[in-house]
Amino acid sequence: MSYSKIIMIILAVAFFSTAFFLFSSNRQQEKPETNITPPFNVGEQMIYEIKLVNSTGTHSLYTLNLSVVGTTEINGSQCFILRGEYLGYDVVMYSYVTTNNLTLLKTHMKSSSGSVTLLYDHKKNKCTISVTTSEGTSSQETDIKPDIQDSLSAIYYIRSLPLEEGYWCTFNQMTSKGVVLIKVSVEKKLQTIHIGLGNFTCYEVSLEAGGASNKVYITTSSERIPVMIEIPLGRETYQYWELINYVPPIKTA
């Protein structure tokens, strides 16, 4: 397999992951959470307009479609299938997480250049990464942590935490730079967020690693919807995710 093809696939993975978490990897105190309650289900869809804001104004970048497209079984465990796609770009990502506590079992990303599949073995704390292109498949193994998430599943994982004012915990995320420890903390004061869809009472959730901090504004409603995300890029430049459409889960009898 040519080096250039492998790099193209790695860049595809990095394209999604660095869009949400732009962190350094300094270590900090760990406090994993075991009380996980998914507030979503199959059929839910969240569509975001992603904007760049800097001294020259506000610029629309992408439209991101996040959805829960179904369930499947992996190694005897029932899993949600999470799907993420930048509309108009040739990259689609899938995350497979258990329906009871969102344990990440598989990540799959595909583009016209090929695909990347990550399989997580939580008994051995290992992850097998397989890169496939027209020239074949190459695999390697790396260490992971029990509470590992990827850049897509992390969004759903954060929603599923027992959020309240003053709460905090940590989890580990697989990124293009390896495993990074993320600290989740909730500010002690609720925020009213104004977007095109209306006004929402939200928890202000900080995601920290090293010296960087992103803000996620998640509704206090039972759906725990992230309505806005703020990512500082440096030099008074920010990336904003604004929810522009929400489709609730399919109702079951």
mmCIF file with all atom_site columns, all heavy atoms in Angstrom, residues 38-54:
data_model
loop_
_atom_site.group_PDB
_atom_site.id
_atom_site.type_symbol
_atom_site.label_atom_id
_atom_site.label_alt_id
_atom_site.label_comp_id
_atom_site.label_asym_id
_atom_site.label_entity_id
_atom_site.label_seq_id
_atom_site.pdbx_PDB_ins_code
_atom_site.Cartn_x
_atom_site.Cartn_y
_atom_site.Cartn_z
_atom_site.occupancy
_atom_site.B_iso_or_equiv
_atom_site.pdbx_formal_charge
_atom_site.auth_seq_id
_atom_site.auth_comp_id
_atom_site.auth_asym_id
_atom_site.auth_atom_id
_atom_site.pdbx_PDB_model_num
ATOM 1   N N   . PRO A 1 38 ? -28.325 7.025  28.003 1.00 0.00 ? 38 PRO A N   1
ATOM 2   C CA  . PRO A 1 38 ? -28.517 7.657  26.690 1.00 0.00 ? 38 PRO A CA  1
ATOM 3   C C   . PRO A 1 38 ? -29.872 8.359  26.593 1.00 0.00 ? 38 PRO A C   1
ATOM 4   O O   . PRO A 1 38 ? -30.911 7.733  26.813 1.00 0.00 ? 38 PRO A O   1
ATOM 5   C CB  . PRO A 1 38 ? -28.446 6.470  25.714 1.00 0.00 ? 38 PRO A CB  1
ATOM 6   C CG  . PRO A 1 38 ? -27.654 5.426  26.451 1.00 0.00 ? 38 PRO A CG  1
ATOM 7   C CD  . PRO A 1 38 ? -28.037 5.587  27.891 1.00 0.00 ? 38 PRO A CD  1
ATOM 8   N N   . PRO A 1 39 ? -29.900 9.658  26.254 1.00 0.00 ? 39 PRO A N   1
ATOM 9   C CA  . PRO A 1 39 ? -31.160 10.400 26.094 1.00 0.00 ? 39 PRO A CA  1
ATOM 10  C C   . PRO A 1 39 ? -31.676 10.375 24.656 1.00 0.00 ? 39 PRO A C   1
ATOM 11  O O   . PRO A 1 39 ? -32.610 11.101 24.321 1.00 0.00 ? 39 PRO A O   1
ATOM 12  C CB  . PRO A 1 39 ? -30.764 11.816 26.499 1.00 0.00 ? 39 PRO A CB  1
ATOM 13  C CG  . PRO A 1 39 ? -29.357 11.931 26.010 1.00 0.00 ? 39 PRO A CG  1
ATOM 14  C CD  . PRO A 1 39 ? -28.741 10.560 26.169 1.00 0.00 ? 39 PRO A CD  1
ATOM 15  N N   . PHE A 1 40 ? -31.062 9.587  23.796 1.00 0.00 ? 40 PHE A N   1
ATOM 16  C CA  . PHE A 1 40 ? -31.403 9.535  22.374 1.00 0.00 ? 40 PHE A CA  1
ATOM 17  C C   . PHE A 1 40 ? -31.797 8.111  21.991 1.00 0.00 ? 40 PHE A C   1
ATOM 18  O O   . PHE A 1 40 ? -31.653 7.176  22.786 1.00 0.00 ? 40 PHE A O   1
ATOM 19  C CB  . PHE A 1 40 ? -30.211 9.993  21.524 1.00 0.00 ? 40 PHE A CB  1
ATOM 20  C CG  . PHE A 1 40 ? -28.946 9.210  21.808 1.00 0.00 ? 40 PHE A CG  1
ATOM 21  C CD1 . PHE A 1 40 ? -28.689 8.022  21.167 1.00 0.00 ? 40 PHE A CD1 1
ATOM 22  C CD2 . PHE A 1 40 ? -28.028 9.675  22.747 1.00 0.00 ? 40 PHE A CD2 1
ATOM 23  C CE1 . PHE A 1 40 ? -27.537 7.295  21.446 1.00 0.00 ? 40 PHE A CE1 1
ATOM 24  C CE2 . PHE A 1 40 ? -26.877 8.956  23.024 1.00 0.00 ? 40 PHE A CE2 1
ATOM 25  C CZ  . PHE A 1 40 ? -26.630 7.764  22.372 1.00 0.00 ? 40 PHE A CZ  1
ATOM 26  N N   . ASN A 1 41 ? -32.284 7.963  20.764 1.00 0.00 ? 41 ASN A N   1
ATOM 27  C CA  . ASN A 1 41 ? -32.628 6.646  20.262 1.00 0.00 ? 41 ASN A CA  1
ATOM 28  C C   . ASN A 1 41 ? -32.603 6.668  18.745 1.00 0.00 ? 41 ASN A C   1
ATOM 29  O O   . ASN A 1 41 ? -32.329 7.717  18.136 1.00 0.00 ? 41 ASN A O   1
ATOM 30  C CB  . ASN A 1 41 ? -34.000 6.195  20.791 1.00 0.00 ? 41 ASN A CB  1
ATOM 31  C CG  . ASN A 1 41 ? -34.061 4.686  21.028 1.00 0.00 ? 41 ASN A CG  1
ATOM 32  O OD1 . ASN A 1 41 ? -33.526 3.895  20.251 1.00 0.00 ? 41 ASN A OD1 1
ATOM 33  N ND2 . ASN A 1 41 ? -34.706 4.287  22.121 1.00 0.00 ? 41 ASN A ND2 1
ATOM 34  N N   . VAL A 1 42 ? -32.911 5.522  18.145 1.00 0.00 ? 42 VAL A N   1
ATOM 35  C CA  . VAL A 1 42 ? -32.867 5.392  16.686 1.00 0.00 ? 42 VAL A CA  1
ATOM 36  C C   . VAL A 1 42 ? -33.840 6.381  16.044 1.00 0.00 ? 42 VAL A C   1
ATOM 37  O O   . VAL A 1 42 ? -34.977 6.546  16.497 1.00 0.00 ? 42 VAL A O   1
ATOM 38  C CB  . VAL A 1 42 ? -33.208 3.946  16.274 1.00 0.00 ? 42 VAL A CB  1
ATOM 39  C CG1 . VAL A 1 42 ? -33.288 3.833  14.748 1.00 0.00 ? 42 VAL A CG1 1
ATOM 40  C CG2 . VAL A 1 42 ? -32.177 2.977  16.832 1.00 0.00 ? 42 VAL A CG2 1
ATOM 41  N N   . GLY A 1 43 ? -33.376 7.022  14.989 1.00 0.00 ? 43 GLY A N   1
ATOM 42  C CA  . GLY A 1 43 ? -34.190 7.979  14.252 1.00 0.00 ? 43 GLY A CA  1
ATOM 43  C C   . GLY A 1 43 ? -33.866 9.419  14.560 1.00 0.00 ? 43 GLY A C   1
ATOM 44  O O   . GLY A 1 43 ? -34.242 10.319 13.791 1.00 0.00 ? 43 GLY A O   1
ATOM 45  N N   . GLU A 1 44 ? -33.171 9.669  15.674 1.00 0.00 ? 44 GLU A N   1
ATOM 46  C CA  . GLU A 1 44 ? -32.824 11.042 16.001 1.00 0.00 ? 44 GLU A CA  1
ATOM 47  C C   . GLU A 1 44 ? -31.829 11.596 14.982 1.00 0.00 ? 44 GLU A C   1
ATOM 48  O O   . GLU A 1 44 ? -30.920 10.896 14.528 1.00 0.00 ? 44 GLU A O   1
ATOM 49  C CB  . GLU A 1 44 ? -32.208 11.130 17.397 1.00 0.00 ? 44 GLU A CB  1
ATOM 50  C CG  . GLU A 1 44 ? -31.930 12.579 17.811 1.00 0.00 ? 44 GLU A CG  1
ATOM 51  C CD  . GLU A 1 44 ? -31.017 12.694 19.007 1.00 0.00 ? 44 GLU A CD  1
ATOM 52  O OE1 . GLU A 1 44 ? -29.810 12.359 18.867 1.00 0.00 ? 44 GLU A OE1 1
ATOM 53  O OE2 . GLU A 1 44 ? -31.492 13.110 20.069 1.00 0.00 ? 44 GLU A OE2 1
ATOM 54  N N   . GLN A 1 45 ? -32.014 12.873 14.648 1.00 0.00 ? 45 GLN A N   1
ATOM 55  C CA  . GLN A 1 45 ? -31.117 13.541 13.716 1.00 0.00 ? 45 GLN A CA  1
ATOM 56  C C   . GLN A 1 45 ? -30.858 14.962 14.192 1.00 0.00 ? 45 GLN A C   1
ATOM 57  O O   . GLN A 1 45 ? -31.777 15.670 14.594 1.00 0.00 ? 45 GLN A O   1
ATOM 58  C CB  . GLN A 1 45 ? -31.738 13.575 12.315 1.00 0.00 ? 45 GLN A CB  1
ATOM 59  C CG  . GLN A 1 45 ? -30.831 14.142 11.224 1.00 0.00 ? 45 GLN A CG  1
ATOM 60  C CD  . GLN A 1 45 ? -31.484 14.092 9.861  1.00 0.00 ? 45 GLN A CD  1
ATOM 61  O OE1 . GLN A 1 45 ? -32.668 14.410 9.720  1.00 0.00 ? 45 GLN A OE1 1
ATOM 62  N NE2 . GLN A 1 45 ? -30.752 13.671 8.855  1.00 0.00 ? 45 GLN A NE2 1
ATOM 63  N N   . MET A 1 46 ? -29.585 15.362 14.179 1.00 0.00 ? 46 MET A N   1
ATOM 64  C CA  . MET A 1 46 ? -29.183 16.725 14.531 1.00 0.00 ? 46 MET A CA  1
ATOM 65  C C   . MET A 1 46 ? -28.355 17.281 13.378 1.00 0.00 ? 46 MET A C   1
ATOM 66  O O   . MET A 1 46 ? -27.344 16.690 12.999 1.00 0.00 ? 46 MET A O   1
ATOM 67  C CB  . MET A 1 46 ? -28.367 16.737 15.830 1.00 0.00 ? 46 MET A CB  1
ATOM 68  C CG  . MET A 1 46 ? -29.089 16.162 17.032 1.00 0.00 ? 46 MET A CG  1
ATOM 69  S SD  . MET A 1 46 ? -28.132 16.240 18.588 1.00 0.00 ? 46 MET A SD  1
ATOM 70  C CE  . MET A 1 46 ? -26.728 15.148 18.194 1.00 0.00 ? 46 MET A CE  1
ATOM 71  N N   . ILE A 1 47 ? -28.787 18.417 12.839 1.00 0.00 ? 47 ILE A N   1
ATOM 72  C CA  . ILE A 1 47 ? -28.071 19.041 11.726 1.00 0.00 ? 47 ILE A CA  1
ATOM 73  C C   . ILE A 1 47 ? -27.513 20.380 12.196 1.00 0.00 ? 47 ILE A C   1
ATOM 74  O O   . ILE A 1 47 ? -28.234 21.194 12.782 1.00 0.00 ? 47 ILE A O   1
ATOM 75  C CB  . ILE A 1 47 ? -28.984 19.229 10.501 1.00 0.00 ? 47 ILE A CB  1
ATOM 76  C CG1 . ILE A 1 47 ? -29.487 17.863 10.018 1.00 0.00 ? 47 ILE A CG1 1
ATOM 77  C CG2 . ILE A 1 47 ? -28.237 19.951 9.377  1.00 0.00 ? 47 ILE A CG2 1
ATOM 78  C CD1 . ILE A 1 47 ? -30.419 17.941 8.828  1.00 0.00 ? 47 ILE A CD1 1
ATOM 79  N N   . TYR A 1 48 ? -26.235 20.585 11.956 1.00 0.00 ? 48 TYR A N   1
ATOM 80  C CA  . TYR A 1 48 ? -25.544 21.787 12.417 1.00 0.00 ? 48 TYR A CA  1
ATOM 81  C C   . TYR A 1 48 ? -24.990 22.579 11.237 1.00 0.00 ? 48 TYR A C   1
ATOM 82  O O   . TYR A 1 48 ? -24.451 22.005 10.272 1.00 0.00 ? 48 TYR A O   1
ATOM 83  C CB  . TYR A 1 48 ? -24.371 21.426 13.333 1.00 0.00 ? 48 TYR A CB  1
ATOM 84  C CG  . TYR A 1 48 ? -24.783 20.794 14.634 1.00 0.00 ? 48 TYR A CG  1
ATOM 85  C CD1 . TYR A 1 48 ? -24.947 19.413 14.727 1.00 0.00 ? 48 TYR A CD1 1
ATOM 86  C CD2 . TYR A 1 48 ? -25.015 21.566 15.767 1.00 0.00 ? 48 TYR A CD2 1
ATOM 87  C CE1 . TYR A 1 48 ? -25.334 18.820 15.925 1.00 0.00 ? 48 TYR A CE1 1
ATOM 88  C CE2 . TYR A 1 48 ? -25.397 20.990 16.967 1.00 0.00 ? 48 TYR A CE2 1
ATOM 89  C CZ  . TYR A 1 48 ? -25.555 19.614 17.037 1.00 0.00 ? 48 TYR A CZ  1
ATOM 90  O OH  . TYR A 1 48 ? -25.942 19.024 18.217 1.00 0.00 ? 48 TYR A OH  1
ATOM 91  N N   . GLU A 1 49 ? -25.099 23.903 11.341 1.00 0.00 ? 49 GLU A N   1
ATOM 92  C CA  . GLU A 1 49 ? -24.338 24.783 10.467 1.00 0.00 ? 49 GLU A CA  1
ATOM 93  C C   . GLU A 1 49 ? -23.061 25.153 11.211 1.00 0.00 ? 49 GLU A C   1
ATOM 94  O O   . GLU A 1 49 ? -23.114 25.597 12.361 1.00 0.00 ? 49 GLU A O   1
ATOM 95  C CB  . GLU A 1 49 ? -25.120 26.047 10.137 1.00 0.00 ? 49 GLU A CB  1
ATOM 96  C CG  . GLU A 1 49 ? -24.355 26.981 9.195  1.00 0.00 ? 49 GLU A CG  1
ATOM 97  C CD  . GLU A 1 49 ? -25.098 28.261 8.884  1.00 0.00 ? 49 GLU A CD  1
ATOM 98  O OE1 . GLU A 1 49 ? -26.192 28.467 9.460  1.00 0.00 ? 49 GLU A OE1 1
ATOM 99  O OE2 . GLU A 1 49 ? -24.595 29.056 8.076  1.00 0.00 ? 49 GLU A OE2 1
ATOM 100 N N   . ILE A 1 50 ? -21.936 24.952 10.561 1.00 0.00 ? 50 ILE A N   1
ATOM 101 C CA  . ILE A 1 50 ? -20.647 25.222 11.189 1.00 0.00 ? 50 ILE A CA  1
ATOM 102 C C   . ILE A 1 50 ? -20.063 26.491 10.578 1.00 0.00 ? 50 ILE A C   1
ATOM 103 O O   . ILE A 1 50 ? -19.936 26.616 9.356  1.00 0.00 ? 50 ILE A O   1
ATOM 104 C CB  . ILE A 1 50 ? -19.689 24.027 11.017 1.00 0.00 ? 50 ILE A CB  1
ATOM 105 C CG1 . ILE A 1 50 ? -20.300 22.801 11.693 1.00 0.00 ? 50 ILE A CG1 1
ATOM 106 C CG2 . ILE A 1 50 ? -18.325 24.341 11.598 1.00 0.00 ? 50 ILE A CG2 1
ATOM 107 C CD1 . ILE A 1 50 ? -19.459 21.557 11.602 1.00 0.00 ? 50 ILE A CD1 1
ATOM 108 N N   . LYS A 1 51 ? -19.734 27.441 11.450 1.00 0.00 ? 51 LYS A N   1
ATOM 109 C CA  . LYS A 1 51 ? -19.285 28.753 11.022 1.00 0.00 ? 51 LYS A CA  1
ATOM 110 C C   . LYS A 1 51 ? -17.903 29.068 11.582 1.00 0.00 ? 51 LYS A C   1
ATOM 111 O O   . LYS A 1 51 ? -17.548 28.614 12.672 1.00 0.00 ? 51 LYS A O   1
ATOM 112 C CB  . LYS A 1 51 ? -20.268 29.837 11.488 1.00 0.00 ? 51 LYS A CB  1
ATOM 113 C CG  . LYS A 1 51 ? -21.711 29.614 11.082 1.00 0.00 ? 51 LYS A CG  1
ATOM 114 C CD  . LYS A 1 51 ? -22.614 30.645 11.723 1.00 0.00 ? 51 LYS A CD  1
ATOM 115 C CE  . LYS A 1 51 ? -24.076 30.411 11.406 1.00 0.00 ? 51 LYS A CE  1
ATOM 116 N NZ  . LYS A 1 51 ? -24.958 31.397 12.083 1.00 0.00 ? 51 LYS A NZ  1
ATOM 117 N N   . LEU A 1 52 ? -17.172 29.871 10.860 1.00 0.00 ? 52 LEU A N   1
ATOM 118 C CA  . LEU A 1 52 ? -15.906 30.417 11.322 1.00 0.00 ? 52 LEU A CA  1
ATOM 119 C C   . LEU A 1 52 ? -16.126 31.894 11.621 1.00 0.00 ? 52 LEU A C   1
ATOM 120 O O   . LEU A 1 52 ? -16.633 32.637 10.776 1.00 0.00 ? 52 LEU A O   1
ATOM 121 C CB  . LEU A 1 52 ? -14.822 30.255 10.258 1.00 0.00 ? 52 LEU A CB  1
ATOM 122 C CG  . LEU A 1 52 ? -13.419 30.744 10.650 1.00 0.00 ? 52 LEU A CG  1
ATOM 123 C CD1 . LEU A 1 52 ? -12.812 29.827 11.712 1.00 0.00 ? 52 LEU A CD1 1
ATOM 124 C CD2 . LEU A 1 52 ? -12.514 30.808 9.419  1.00 0.00 ? 52 LEU A CD2 1
ATOM 125 N N   . VAL A 1 53 ? -15.753 32.317 12.832 1.00 0.00 ? 53 VAL A N   1
ATOM 126 C CA  . VAL A 1 53 ? -15.926 33.709 13.246 1.00 0.00 ? 53 VAL A CA  1
ATOM 127 C C   . VAL A 1 53 ? -14.559 34.285 13.592 1.00 0.00 ? 53 VAL A C   1
ATOM 128 O O   . VAL A 1 53 ? -13.827 33.730 14.435 1.00 0.00 ? 53 VAL A O   1
ATOM 129 C CB  . VAL A 1 53 ? -16.868 33.824 14.461 1.00 0.00 ? 53 VAL A CB  1
ATOM 130 C CG1 . VAL A 1 53 ? -17.008 35.278 14.897 1.00 0.00 ? 53 VAL A CG1 1
ATOM 131 C CG2 . VAL A 1 53 ? -18.238 33.233 14.137 1.00 0.00 ? 53 VAL A CG2 1
ATOM 132 N N   . ASN A 1 54 ? -14.195 35.380 12.931 1.00 0.00 ? 54 ASN A N   1
ATOM 133 C CA  . ASN A 1 54 ? -12.926 36.049 13.229 1.00 0.00 ? 54 ASN A CA  1
ATOM 134 C C   . ASN A 1 54 ? -13.085 37.545 12.972 1.00 0.00 ? 54 ASN A C   1
ATOM 135 O O   . ASN A 1 54 ? -14.207 38.050 12.843 1.00 0.00 ? 54 ASN A O   1
ATOM 136 C CB  . ASN A 1 54 ? -11.780 35.449 12.405 1.00 0.00 ? 54 ASN A CB  1
ATOM 137 C CG  . ASN A 1 54 ? -12.035 35.507 10.913 1.00 0.00 ? 54 ASN A CG  1
ATOM 138 O OD1 . ASN A 1 54 ? -12.827 36.310 10.426 1.00 0.00 ? 54 ASN A OD1 1
ATOM 139 N ND2 . ASN A 1 54 ? -11.362 34.636 10.162 1.00 0.00 ? 54 ASN A ND2 1
#
